[in-house]
Amino acid sequence: VRPDATAYWNRSATYDFLSQVSWTERSRDAQGAKVSRDMWEVVKPFTEGYYVNTSPGADNSRVRATYGDNYPRLVAIKDKYDPGNLFRMNANIRPGKPVA
């Protein structure tokens, strides 16, 4: 599948990396979150983009990386069919034009 044939461009990826950190004591929340973030910073240089289903609530820079060069085309589609951003859950592509 060509990278521009669908929304998701990185179909030639050989691996998917998914990690999970958990703990039972609420007093360790900050420590657990830090461990997870620190681990990701070590792994991140070896990655190329994200898979959309593994990035719920992703920030806009991560959403852009998820769709690579397809992102501008998807924003144009969003502007045409969902300019009010009704479908905005999960890893959302935001409209490019402000809604009046």
Side-chain angles (χ1 to χ4, degrees), residues 42-82:
V42 172
V43 173
K44 187 176 178 179
F46 303 100
T47 66
E48 186 177 343
Y50 303 89
Y51 185 65
V52 68
N53 289 346
T54 58
S55 55
D59 65 29
N60 198 44
S61 64
R62 196 159 164 182
V63 172
R64 285 176 178 268
T66 297
Y67 295 110
D69 292 339
N70 292 334
Y71 188 81
R73 177 174 54 95
L74 297 171
V75 170
I77 292 168
K78 182 76 167 197
D79 286 342
K80 182 175 182 178
Y81 293 103
D82 186 20

Side-chain angles (χ1 to χ4, degrees), residues 26-56:
R26 297 216 30 115
S27 63
R28 299 181 69 189
D29 285 359
Q31 178 187 6
K34 183 178 182 329
V35 166
S36 181
R37 288 186 191 105
D38 290 350
M39 181 184 60
W40 176 244
E41 289 305 315
V42 172
V43 173
K44 187 176 178 179
F46 303 100
T47 66
E48 186 177 343
Y50 303 89
Y51 185 65
V52 68
N53 289 346
T54 58
S55 55

Side-chain angles (χ1 to χ4, degrees), residues 11-24:
R11 295 190 183 274
S12 63
T14 309
Y15 300 99
D16 182 18
F17 175 79
L18 183 62
S19 74
Q20 179 177 342
V21 179
S22 61
W23 52 93
T24 57

